[in-house]
């Protein structure tokens, strides 16, 4: 298996060369962009890349200086100058030649290898620091480390005080979640290893007190950075603050850690969604990250909102844009830190751990399948034959844990990227996913379904819009009107508006297809012992999509809608009634349509009469009639 992709180069036109400002007298020309990777010598390490960047583009510092000195009266002209500088400075960093063209030598596991350290043993006695530990992926990571690495010393969680709750109260609430039920019953003492660190990813020095910073710097040897804003429609300023500045501040803290052996940064496979083939490398970003940070620091937010569509270019949202810039910034800022990047595709409910189907949010496909199960979602723009690249959350977490183990135990000059996806090894297309989902929501219906679940995937926008009006909003307004007459609070139109917004965010990903190369993930799998492969499963070839989607539906039924399995028989009876009502409605709609056409067309009426007459004649020829 080849890993030479890390040192490949490509030539392409600058993606934002069309972004011209009045203050820039010369248009931005096309330039060669190169793939960036971790093959830089770690002696001066990734800081060599930063120095090359600064020397190759003198505008980096000047644009920031201009930003800091700009007065409020010259904001518009300063914005133009800074944008021109940002475009000009987006030239890819030149990389030193590689000695062997490989990202990292991967030796397959050998039973006679006495130097092999099992993953659980590697984490024994170690302390881990996690950002984003209260999020969907963070919770699964904490639970997995406590359950499968029982000798781990401590897990420090960065937690932000929220809605008047202290971090200790938020931690208690987190550990009382159903996710930790088996640990509470079987290993309750393990939960005491989780220690809250009060902080905020949007604040300077992550909002962590000096005392807690010293505690982390003395004790932590593995860091998992999963904190991010995953809202696709997030304002650029907040998205940059969390996804980019938060990463930069964490790296600054990691540089002070005395015994850091691995920093795992969680990105997204879609950070390079402006290209079809995505290898496990860092691509040159459209702008220098420092210039974008300068912009959000001194430009008014209303001007930023106007510039956002032009800044993100071919990317669909600020999330993928800032995630791409964060990777490049990590490459520059990490220096000689032992870093790896994990890029999951669409993260969905758990496959097996801690139990099948666990999910705690309506993000991504979960919200749409839930709306389908309720009978409120029936049509969407989607290319049904394209791959739906989604990956269960426990697969991602197991890969992160193994990637940290590999980064720490096999020191290398390379920054490794792992594309955690299913499209290459075990693909499922959208039509198959929807088919499995439809079968499962009918077999395990939700309580209080509004209509029988049906739906279609379309690529004809006018037809989709027409169906959306007829099947989504028209029934919603009728139901809300009935609710008002009965003195109840209307809610269906509001729900449909939220569904429409979610569909709009996901449409970009459902109407395009990518090929995410996952050679590093596959190679890492073969370095694990058979026992570690059983404990830390991230081989996506083991996914049975039919069974997985069924458990997915049962999971959001139980954990999101809080509906117990005991209610299934009554729900199935209701589903049967809705089925007959649905068929009756279709029959009535056909008869009314036919009646309308017959009343408007004499020719159609004559044809129908002729058809009935011929049918009766044929019937008389049958002996038993």
């Amino acid at each position: 298996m080849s890993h030479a992709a890390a040192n490949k180069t490509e030539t392409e036109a600058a993606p934002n060369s069309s972004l011209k400002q009045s203050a820039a007298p010369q248009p931005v020309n096309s330039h060669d962009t190169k793939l960036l990777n971790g093959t830089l010598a770690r002696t001066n390490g990734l800081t060599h890349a930063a120095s090359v960047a600064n020397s190759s583009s003198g505008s980096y510092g000047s644009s920031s200086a201009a930003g800091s000195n700009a007065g409020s009266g010259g904001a518009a002209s300063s914005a133009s100058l800074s944008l021109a500088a940002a475009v000009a400075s987006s030239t890819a960093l030149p990389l030193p030649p590689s000695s062997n063209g490989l990202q990292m030598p991967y030796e397959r596991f050998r039973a006679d290898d006495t130097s092999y350290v099992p993953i659980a043993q590697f984490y024994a006695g170690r302390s881990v620091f996690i950002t984003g530990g209260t999020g969907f992926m963070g919770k699964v990571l904490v639970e997995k480390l406590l359950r499968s690495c029982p000798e781990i010393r401590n897990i420090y969680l960065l937690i932000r005080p929220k809605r008047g709750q202290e971090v200790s109260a938020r931690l208690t609430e987190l550990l009382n979640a159903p996710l930790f039920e088996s640990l509470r019953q079987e290993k309750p003492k393990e939960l005491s290893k989780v220690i809250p660190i009060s902080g905020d990813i949007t604040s300077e020095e992550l909002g962590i007190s000096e005392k807690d910073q010293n505690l982390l710097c003395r004790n932590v040897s593995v860091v998992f950075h999963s904190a991010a804003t995953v809202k696709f429609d997030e304002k650029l300023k907040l998205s940059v603050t969390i996804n980019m500045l938060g990463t930069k501040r964490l790296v600054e803290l990691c540089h002070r850690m005395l015994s850091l052996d691995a920093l795992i940064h969680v990105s997204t496979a879609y950070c390079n969604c402006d290209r079809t083939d995505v290898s496990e490398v860092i691509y040159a970003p459209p702008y220098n990250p420092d210039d974008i940070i300068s912009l959000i620091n001194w430009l008014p937010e209303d001007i930023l909102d106007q510039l956002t569509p032009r800044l993100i270019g071919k990317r669909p949202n600020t999330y993928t844009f800032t995630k791409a810039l964060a990777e490049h910034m990590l490459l520059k800022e990490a220096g000689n830190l032992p870093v790896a990047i994990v890029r999951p595709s669409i993260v969905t409910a758990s496959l097996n751990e801690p139990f099948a189907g666990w999910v705690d949010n309506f993000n991504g496909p979960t919200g749409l399948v839930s709306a389908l199960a309720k009978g409120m979602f029936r049509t969407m723009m989607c290319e049904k034959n394209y791959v739906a690249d989604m990956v269960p959350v426990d697969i991602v977490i197991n890969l992160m844990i193994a990637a940290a183990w590999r980064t720490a135990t096999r020191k290398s000059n390379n920054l490794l990227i792992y594309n955690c996806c299913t499209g290459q090894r075990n693909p499922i297309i959208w039509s198959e996913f929807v088919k499995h989902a439809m079968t499962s929501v009918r077999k395990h219906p939700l309580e209080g379904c509004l209509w029988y679940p049906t739906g279609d995937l379309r690529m004809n926008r006018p037809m989709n819009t027409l169906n959306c009006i007829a099947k989504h909003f028209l029934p919603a307004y009728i139901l809300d009107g009935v609710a008002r007459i009965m003195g109840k609070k209307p809610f269906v139109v509001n729900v449909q508006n939220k569904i429409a917004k979610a569909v709009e965010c996901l449409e970009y990903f459902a109407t395009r297809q990518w090929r995410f190369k996952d050679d590093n993930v596959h190679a890492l799998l073969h370095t694990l012992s058979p026992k570690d492969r059983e404990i830390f499963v991230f081989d996506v070839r083991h996914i049975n999509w039919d069974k997985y989607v069924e458990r997915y539906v049962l999971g959001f039924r139980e954990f999101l809608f809080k509906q117990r399995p005991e209610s299934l028989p009554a729900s199935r009876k209701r589903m049967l009634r809705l089925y007959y009502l649905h068929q009756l409605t279709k029959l009535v709609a056909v008869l009314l349509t036919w009646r309308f056409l017959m009343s408007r067309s004499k020719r159609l009426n004559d044809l129908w009469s002729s058809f009935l007459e011929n049918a009766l004649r044929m019937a008389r020829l049958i002996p038993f009639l």
Side-chain angles (χ1 to χ4, degrees):
M1 181 180 300
S2 171
H3 304 288
N7 299 307
K8 294 186 298 184
T9 60
E10 292 181 356
T11 302
E12 61 183 18
N16 287 279
S17 59
S18 61
L19 196 109
K20 302 172 185 176
Q21 302 295 322
S22 58
Q26 299 296 329
V28 180
N29 296 323
S30 298
H31 61 270
D32 291 344
T33 58
K34 303 179 185 296
L35 302 181
L36 307 179
N37 56 29
T39 58
L40 305 166
R42 288 288 189 180
T43 48
N44 33 357
L46 302 174
T47 52
H48 173 74
S51 65
V52 173
N54 289 327
S55 62
S56 65
S57 177
S59 63
Y60 282 18
S62 61
S63 65
S64 298
S68 60
N69 294 327
S72 58
S77 60
S78 298
S80 301
L81 289 170
S82 182
L83 281 171
V87 175
S89 65
S90 64
T91 306
L93 307 182
L95 297 174
S98 171
S99 58
N100 55 18
L102 297 177
Q103 277 208 356
M104 179 180 283
Y106 276 99
E107 306 86 9
R108 286 176 173 263
F109 171 78
R110 301 191 318 274
D112 61 347
D113 184 3
T114 57
S115 65
Y116 183 85
V117 178
I119 294 179
Q121 184 179 330
F122 161 76
Y123 282 96
R126 291 180 179 271
S127 290
V128 173
F129 179 49
I130 301 174
T131 68
T134 58
F136 177 44
M137 291 177 58
K139 294 174 185 176
V140 181
L141 175 59
V142 172
E143 196 278 340
K144 178 65 176 180
L145 286 172
L146 291 175
R147 180 165 46 83
S148 298
C149 304
E151 295 183 37
I152 196 169
R153 185 180 177 187
N154 285 312
I155 298 176
Y156 297 102
L157 288 189
L158 183 68
I159 301 179
R160 176 171 58 93
K162 190 176 181 181
R163 293 191 295 268
Q165 271 189 317
E166 293 297 325
V167 294
S168 56
R170 290 198 66 194
L171 178 63
T172 301
E173 182 181 341
L174 170 70
L175 298 179
N176 284 329
L179 183 70
F180 296 92
E181 181 65 30
S182 61
L183 278 173
R184 286 197 300 270
Q185 293 181 359
E186 299 169 13
K187 302 177 181 179
K189 292 183 180 179
E190 295 296 310
L191 298 177
S192 63
K193 295 179 180 179
V194 184
I195 300 173
I197 299 293
S198 181
D200 187 343
I201 199 76
T202 64
S203 302
E204 291 291 335
E205 298 184 336
L206 302 178
I208 303 175
S209 68
E210 185 177 350
K211 179 182 176 182
D212 284 344
Q213 287 184 44
N214 292 333
L215 175 70
L216 296 174
C217 291
R218 286 195 309 269
N219 298 322
V220 170
S221 59
V222 177
V223 175
F224 294 99
H225 178 44
S226 63
T229 173
V230 297
K231 289 179 63 177
F232 285 174
D233 56 349
E234 190 68 85
K235 296 277 190 180
L236 180 63
K237 186 180 183 70
L238 184 57
S239 191
V240 168
T241 302
I242 297 176
N243 295 344
M244 293 175 62
L245 276 173
T247 300
K248 186 174 185 178
R249 290 160 180 162
L250 178 70
V251 170
E252 290 170 354
L253 178 63
C254 288
H255 274 294
R256 295 169 48 201
M257 292 182 179
L258 303 178
S259 56
L260 182 68
D261 286 323
L263 165 59
I264 304 300
H265 172 75
V266 181
S267 184
T268 171
Y270 295 100
C271 65
N272 298 298
C273 59
D274 56 335
R275 59 181 68 238
T276 330
D277 292 281
V278 181
S279 299
E280 293 171 306
V281 295
I282 296 177
Y283 293 90
Y287 307 108
N288 180 269
D290 292 333
D291 289 318
I292 297 299
I293 291 173
S294 296
L295 284 180
I296 66 112
N297 282 336
W298 55 265
L299 267 185
E301 192 160 357
D302 58 336
I303 296 180
L304 272 178
D305 292 342
Q306 295 174 21
L307 294 175
T308 295
R310 302 176 68 185
L311 286 171
I312 65 178
K314 295 180 181 179
R315 290 179 172 84
N317 49 55
T318 58
Y319 171 67
T320 56
F321 176 70
T322 54
K323 277 296 191 179
L325 292 174
E327 285 192 2
H328 181 250
M329 187 175 61
L330 183 65
L331 181 70
K332 291 170 56 182
E333 302 285 341
N336 59 355
L337 293 177
V339 181
I341 297 174
V342 173
R343 292 178 182 158
S345 52
I346 303 172
V347 183
T348 51
S350 62
L351 176 66
N352 293 311
E353 298 179 281
F355 30 77
W358 184 81
V359 63
D360 74 341
N361 63 79
F362 287 98
N363 295 338
T366 306
L368 299 185
V369 178
S370 301
L372 173 71
K374 277 285 188 180
M376 302 178 68
F377 180 59
R378 313 171 80 78
T379 182
M380 177 181 176
M381 285 287 293
C382 177
E383 178 49 71
K384 62 182 180 181
N385 293 318
Y386 280 177
V387 171
D389 205 314
M390 53 189 71
V391 59
V393 62
D394 49 335
I395 294 283
V396 184
I397 296 307
N398 287 330
L399 174 61
M400 289 167 57
I401 293 171
W405 163 82
R406 180 69 184 184
T407 303
T409 56
R410 295 291 189 273
K411 301 297 183 183
S412 170
N413 291 334
N414 300 337
L415 188 157
L416 278 179
I417 297 100
Y418 300 93
N419 285 342
C420 186
C421 310
T422 57
Q424 295 296 308
R425 310 282 173 182
N426 188 7
I428 180 173
I429 59 176
W430 284 108
S431 60
E432 290 177 354
F433 175 74
V434 171
K435 177 184 174 183
H436 294 325
M438 201 81 71
T439 301
S440 297
V441 298
R442 292 169 180 171
K443 182 179 178 182
H444 310 290
L446 294 175
E447 298 174 25
C449 286
L450 296 177
W451 200 254
Y452 186 72
T454 61
D456 293 294
L457 303 177
R458 311 172 193 276
M459 283 300 289
N460 185 315
R461 187 170 296 279
M463 184 61 69
N464 184 71
T465 302
L466 184 62
N467 274 272
C468 191
I469 294 171
K471 297 180 179 180
H472 291 176
F473 285 97
L474 184 59
Y477 279 104
I478 292 173
L479 288 172
D480 276 0
V482 173
R484 286 190 177 93
I485 293 171
M486 297 176 64
K488 296 182 179 180
K489 185 178 180 181
F491 69 94
V492 186
V493 172
N494 185 39
V495 171
Q496 284 295 352
N497 286 330
K498 291 180 179 179
I499 292 173
K501 189 175 182 181
V503 170
E504 183 182 357
C505 291
L506 286 175
E507 184 180 299
Y508 177 91
F509 303 95
T511 54
R512 290 165 177 80
Q513 185 167 251
W514 294 265
R515 289 181 292 274
F516 299 113
K517 307 296 178 58
D518 61 350
D519 292 343
N520 285 344
V521 176
H522 194 60
L524 175 61
L525 177 67
H526 289 290
T527 65
L528 269 59
S529 68
K531 184 177 180 181
D532 276 345
R533 287 189 211 176
E534 291 178 6
I535 299 173
F536 302 94
V537 178
F538 57 89
D539 188 350
V540 297
R541 293 172 298 182
H542 293 162
I543 302 173
N544 180 315
W545 286 111
D546 190 5
K547 292 181 179 178
Y548 171 72
V549 174
E550 183 176 5
R551 293 169 180 170
Y552 190 176
V553 169
L554 286 169
F556 70 65
R557 187 183 192 278
E558 179 176 354
F559 302 113
L560 295 181
F561 289 93
K562 311 299 181 185
Q563 297 177 7
R564 303 301 301 170
E566 293 78 16
S567 67
L568 276 172
S571 297
R572 286 174 180 144
K573 289 180 181 178
R574 178 182 174 85
M575 180 60 65
L576 185 61
R577 290 194 296 269
L578 288 174
Y579 169 76
Y580 288 125
L581 181 60
H582 176 66
Q583 299 301 329
L584 179 61
T585 303
K586 288 197 297 183
L587 178 61
V588 170
V590 169
L591 292 176
L592 288 176
T593 303
W594 183 251
R595 178 63 181 167
F596 174 79
L597 294 174
M598 292 274 288
S599 65
R600 293 295 187 274
S601 172
K602 185 178 183 305
R603 179 174 176 79
L604 188 61
N605 205 340
D606 293 341
L607 286 173
W608 178 244
S609 299
S610 177
F611 170 77
L612 289 177
E613 183 179 347
N614 290 328
L616 288 172
R617 285 176 183 174
M618 292 293 294
R620 292 191 189 103
L621 296 177
I622 301 175
F624 60 84
L625 291 179

